[in-house]
Amino acid sequence: MDWQVTKGTAAPLGATLTATGCNFAIHAPNAKGLTLVIFDDNNDHHSIPLYKNHSHIYSAHVSGIQAGMRYAYSVISPKETLWLLDPYAHQLTDNPLSETVPTAVIRHHGFDWQNTEKPQIEQANTLVYELHVKGFTQLHPDIPAALQGKYLGLCHPACIEHFKSLGITTLQLMPIATSLDEAHLHDKELTNFWGYNPLCWFAPDTKFAISDPITELKTMVRTLHQHGIEVILDVVYNHTAESGHGGPIFNFKQLAPKAYLMNGQGEFENYSGCGNTVDLNYPPVLRTVMDSLRHWVEEYQIDGFRFDLAATLGRRGPLFDRRSAFFQSIHQDPVLQSTKLIAEPWDIGPNGYQLGGFPMRWNECNDKFRDITRSFWNHKTSLGDFATRLMGSRDLFSASKWPDKLSVNYISYHDGFTLQDLVSYNHKHNEANKESNRDGHGDNRSFNHGIEGPTDTFAIINLRERQKRNLITSLLFSFGIPHLLAVDSLSHTQKGNNNAYCQDSEISWANWQLNKVQDDFQQWLQKIIAARSQFMVPFIEGFSGESRGEHRINWMKPNSQRLNVDDWHQHSPIILHLGLYHCGSELLYLINPDKVPTRFRLPKGSPWEIICDTADLNPSQPTVCTTHMQSAHSMTILHRR
């Protein structure tokens, strides 16, 4: 090929098209024998020498290179040729060079965004809806077969209608960056369906595309934005698919081993549980992660990120530091200033549980809300614990920092039981994962209400549905940002599997064929989400910031008397009375976790309007004045102006 090769520039890293060709730059402290390899249309490969720049960056500018051409790097030794993937690759091919290493595709990122603006949903109005791109659309009957399981399926009118009818503001997509199956899954003929094993931090996964992952993902984001829906990506920067000792080599292990934390014996630290731990105090890796985040925002107009095992990102060696280099870099970066940042605030390393420990601008997934709310309705936990979570976990997230530091409250996430399974199983049933049911969490706080799994017994079905409504009402009328697992809106069951990471099957695929009970729940959910937006959001806004002390909070017994100290340690009926300012709007929560009905005496004044009664899909008594008989295992939310 008649290509002219010059030194090129050290920035930006990756493959960058120019007016005359393409500039290649890669950080490679261990660059001995490193060569750029370009593949032509006949799949012949051509080796290109690299020139050393500053800071261990090697570069080359190759004239005549065009978008669509493929490239990789190689290290040639007397024994073998080791193929390496550019850590900055923007698109990968499906055909590997070696057993697992794919080639990268040089891309031009031009796209017509049609002047579409980002929705920029305020924190108090945000309703996060977590889903898997394939799992959510794979079985949707109104989506054409070619689009099912794809980026373009997620923005099909049938999905848009579903999101809008529910009142969803923000989609949180499980990882869409290119990931890789672990070796042990191949032996079991399973796959890493969830995608939490990243191969490349810049490249959208081709398995969710028909032909062009970059254009199709951008089209999806543009369409969702045009309908006022944000897109948040679940990103994994705590480890890579290179695993630990003996694991595969894709790039960092060969190019820059300091990318990973090592212990005193020269072994990989494994704070992620996946074999290695990325060290974000190593400046070149921090730069790569920051460049990746900016790439998703600038090229794909992404609205925010949920960071998997985010405690790892704030580590300085074995210690967590909220002033670490990563947090400081995020805080000052102008491109990321308007993005939503959600942390999974833990990892499995020492001092790894950091709920409430992240700096300003970071919202955090609140597992205490999950566990205590589950326990309150399915078993027993104290009123004090439940009240603390309902009121926004202010022991961890001070209201003085709301709405910037609102807790992300949830009942179910992708890992663990779905909402339906939470009220249908006492124990996990993960046999399909082929690990003899040893995997998955054992502390589920679930209750089957008399029969393990599916049943035709009306009384059990009725109680399960009521408990689902109790859990969701507690979530939507708590202070915080509610997170909904998308398949819960369809009453999806994973058949008791609480760790379906390897299930690319109907266990994980949303079932859109709803029976009457499931359809009733979805219609109820639409109403309760609309009620939250109308009635609860003003209270979250009112209780946030400097005016929070001007509003009213009263906890009372069913007879309207104030609680004493001992009452907070009980598991019994309770009233929460909220009011804005001295005489503004009021909300009243009548909460009855007991097995018997309880009559509540209501605060005096004008009649109360029933917003929701979890014991009744269609309350026949729209207003009440003095007392209300609350059914067993239920709660009612009332409002008056």
Side-chain angles (χ1 to χ4, degrees):
M1 302 296 290
D2 187 21
W3 293 333
Q4 291 185 345
V5 182
T6 58
K7 183 176 181 180
T9 60
L13 292 172
T16 307
L17 288 168
T18 68
T20 59
C22 187
N23 188 78
F24 298 87
I26 187 169
H27 175 257
N30 290 14
K32 186 177 181 180
L34 183 66
T35 303
L36 170 66
V37 180
I38 298 176
F39 298 82
D40 62 24
D41 294 338
N42 297 320
N43 207 33
D44 293 329
H45 60 275
H46 306 267
S47 297
I48 307 292
L50 292 167
Y51 297 83
K52 186 173 183 180
N53 255 295
H54 59 80
S55 302
H56 300 295
I57 294 175
Y58 291 77
S59 64
H61 182 276
V62 186
S63 66
I65 299 296
Q66 298 177 346
M69 299 183 73
R70 296 177 295 119
Y71 74 100
Y73 291 91
S74 69
V75 174
I76 301 175
S77 69
K79 294 184 178 180
E80 62 175 344
T81 297
L82 183 63
W83 292 101
L84 300 175
L85 175 67
D86 182 1
Y88 276 71
H90 290 181
Q91 181 181 340
L92 307 185
T93 61
D94 291 326
N95 51 323
L97 291 165
S98 59
E99 183 177 351
T100 55
V101 179
T103 54
V105 181
I106 300 168
R107 285 300 304 257
H108 175 65
H109 272 278
F111 183 76
D112 182 8
W113 287 97
Q114 301 175 355
N115 295 319
T116 302
E117 295 185 358
K118 290 187 174 184
Q120 294 186 326
I121 307 297
E122 296 291 337
Q123 298 282 51
N125 290 287
T126 299
L127 177 59
V128 178
Y129 197 61
E130 183 197 18
L131 55 82
H132 186 281
V133 170
K134 179 179 181 178
F136 194 67
T137 61
Q138 181 69 16
L139 298 179
H140 199 302
D142 298 329
I143 295 178
L147 303 184
Q148 290 175 341
K150 308 298 183 183
Y151 299 119
L152 295 181
L154 204 57
C155 63
H156 184 273
C159 271
I160 297 292
E161 180 183 359
H162 174 79
F163 301 144
K164 298 289 284 185
S165 67
L166 274 179
I168 302 304
T169 70
T170 306
L171 299 188
Q172 180 178 301
L173 308 185
M174 292 172 67
I176 61 167
T178 303
S179 63
L180 194 71
D181 294 341
E182 294 89 342
H184 75 274
L185 293 176
H186 287 288
D187 300 336
K188 299 173 183 175
E189 297 183 337
L190 296 171
T191 183
N192 189 328
F193 179 68
W194 286 353
Y196 289 90
N197 196 40
L199 177 62
C200 184
W201 289 330
F202 291 78
D205 208 315
T206 59
K207 63 173 172 278
F208 302 132
I210 299 170
S211 59
D212 183 349
I214 291 177
T215 301
E216 292 171 33
L217 176 57
K218 290 181 179 181
T219 301
M220 182 202 81
V221 175
R222 181 184 66 191
T223 305
L224 290 167
H225 280 179
Q226 289 170 344
H227 289 86
I229 300 170
E230 294 180 317
V231 179
I232 287 178
L233 299 186
D234 196 335
V235 287
V236 185
Y237 295 118
N238 56 78
H239 78 283
T240 75
E242 290 189 303
S243 190
H245 179 72
I249 296 174
F250 299 118
N251 40 42
F252 288 133
K253 275 187 177 179
Q254 176 66 31
L255 296 170
K258 289 184 179 180
Y260 301 112
L261 280 174
M262 309 294 288
N263 62 26
Q265 290 73 44
E267 299 291 332
F268 291 94
E269 292 284 14
N270 188 21
Y271 299 156
S272 66
C274 301
N276 62 58
T277 303
V278 172
D279 183 4
L280 267 71
N281 288 286
Y282 181 51
V285 173
L286 177 61
R287 175 184 179 181
T288 304
V289 170
M290 294 302 297
D291 286 349
S292 170
L293 292 171
R294 283 189 293 267
H295 179 73
W296 292 113
V297 173
E298 293 178 319
E299 296 297 343
Y300 295 92
Q301 298 296 297
I302 294 302
D303 300 286
F305 303 93
R306 180 266 189 186
F307 294 83
D308 179 68
L309 298 183
T312 298
L313 311 182
R315 286 188 177 277
R316 291 187 176 181
L319 302 177
F320 177 84
D321 186 353
R322 62 188 301 166
R323 294 175 295 277
S324 70
F326 175 67
F327 295 138
Q328 299 286 7
S329 298
I330 288 275
H331 187 75
Q332 62 78 42
D333 194 292
V335 173
L336 304 178
Q337 288 307 299
S338 62
T339 57
K340 287 182 166 68
L341 305 172
I342 300 175
E344 182 182 39
W346 51 76
D347 64 17
I348 66 170
N351 199 30
Y353 187 75
Q354 291 294 331
L355 180 63
F358 280 67
M360 288 297 293
R361 283 202 62 227
W362 284 79
N363 302 110
E364 301 173 40
C365 299
N366 190 342
D367 64 324
K368 288 186 180 296
F369 180 93
R370 174 199 66 193
D371 290 347
I372 288 171
T373 305
R374 287 182 178 189
S375 292
F376 184 79
W377 289 109
N378 281 335
H379 300 285
K380 287 188 176 181
T381 194
S382 72
L383 292 177
D385 284 344
F386 180 62
T388 299
R389 303 308 149 209
L390 202 64
M391 290 303 301
S393 297
R394 290 187 290 180
D395 57 332
L396 298 166
F397 307 102
S398 170
S400 65
K401 298 178 181 179
W402 295 355
D404 293 336
K405 286 292 291 179
L406 280 170
S407 164
V408 177
N409 297 334
Y410 65 100
I411 300 297
S412 47
Y413 230 90
H414 64 267
D415 51 345
F417 277 150
T418 64
L419 179 66
Q420 185 64 44
D421 289 355
L422 188 62
V423 298
S424 303
Y425 293 90
N426 285 349
H427 310 286
K428 60 186 173 73
H429 296 269
N430 298 355
E431 290 79 9
N433 297 353
K434 300 181 180 179
E435 296 183 38
S436 302
N437 204 32
R438 294 189 301 268
D439 63 306
H441 206 291
D443 182 17
N444 297 292
R445 317 285 176 103
S446 62
F447 185 36
N448 65 21
H449 298 92
I451 295 177
E452 187 77 350
T455 180
D456 294 326
T457 304
F458 174 78
I460 293 179
I461 293 174
N462 186 55
L463 182 53
R464 287 177 176 178
E465 290 301 305
R466 183 180 299 188
Q467 292 288 54
K468 285 164 58 179
R469 294 193 291 270
N470 287 331
L471 291 163
I472 293 299
T473 302
S474 301
L475 170 66
L476 294 178
F477 280 82
S478 62
F479 284 82
I481 298 172
H483 167 286
L484 282 172
L485 183 63
V487 295
D488 285 348
S489 64
L490 306 172
S491 298
H492 180 73
T493 175
Q494 292 179 171
K495 302 177 182 178
N497 193 321
N498 75 347
N499 188 34
Y501 79 103
C502 56
Q503 295 300 323
D504 188 0
S505 67
E506 291 187 2
I507 289 176
S508 299
W509 301 343
N511 178 15
W512 292 86
Q513 304 295 332
L514 306 187
N515 59 32
K516 184 181 185 308
V517 172
Q518 294 165 336
D519 187 61
D520 285 345
F521 178 77
Q522 186 179 73
Q523 293 187 38
W524 173 86
L525 185 60
Q526 292 174 354
K527 295 176 183 177
I528 195 67
I529 289 175
R532 176 191 183 269
S533 179
Q534 180 180 355
F535 299 107
M536 186 64 195
V537 168
F539 279 81
I540 295 175
E541 293 173 336
F543 277 77
S544 297
E546 294 180 359
S547 67
R548 65 191 183 280
E550 301 179 35
H551 309 297
R552 293 164 282 152
I553 305 173
N554 289 304
W555 293 93
M556 298 173 286
K557 300 177 184 179
N559 60 7
S560 286
Q561 294 181 358
R562 290 187 178 275
L563 276 70
N564 59 41
V565 173
D566 290 338
D567 292 327
W568 290 110
H569 300 286
Q570 306 304 312
H571 182 259
S572 57
I574 192 173
I575 297 174
L576 169 60
H577 184 192
L578 300 174
L580 293 179
Y581 298 102
H582 177 66
C583 56
S585 295
E586 298 172 88
L587 285 177
L588 195 68
Y589 297 53
L590 310 181
I591 303 169
N592 182 18
D594 278 0
K595 297 179 180 180
V596 296
T598 298
R599 182 170 295 279
F600 286 87
R601 178 175 295 173
L602 310 185
K604 296 179 181 179
S606 57
W608 293 88
E609 174 191 1
I610 295 179
I611 297 173
C612 161
D613 184 347
T614 62
D616 192 346
L617 286 171
N618 299 292
S620 58
Q621 189 180 15
T623 59
V624 291
C625 294
T626 57
T627 64
H628 181 74
M629 179 61 76
Q630 191 65 42
S631 300
H633 301 300
S634 71
M635 67 184 297
T636 292
I637 308 289
L638 304 101
H639 174 265
R640 71 180 178 190
R641 299 187 186 281

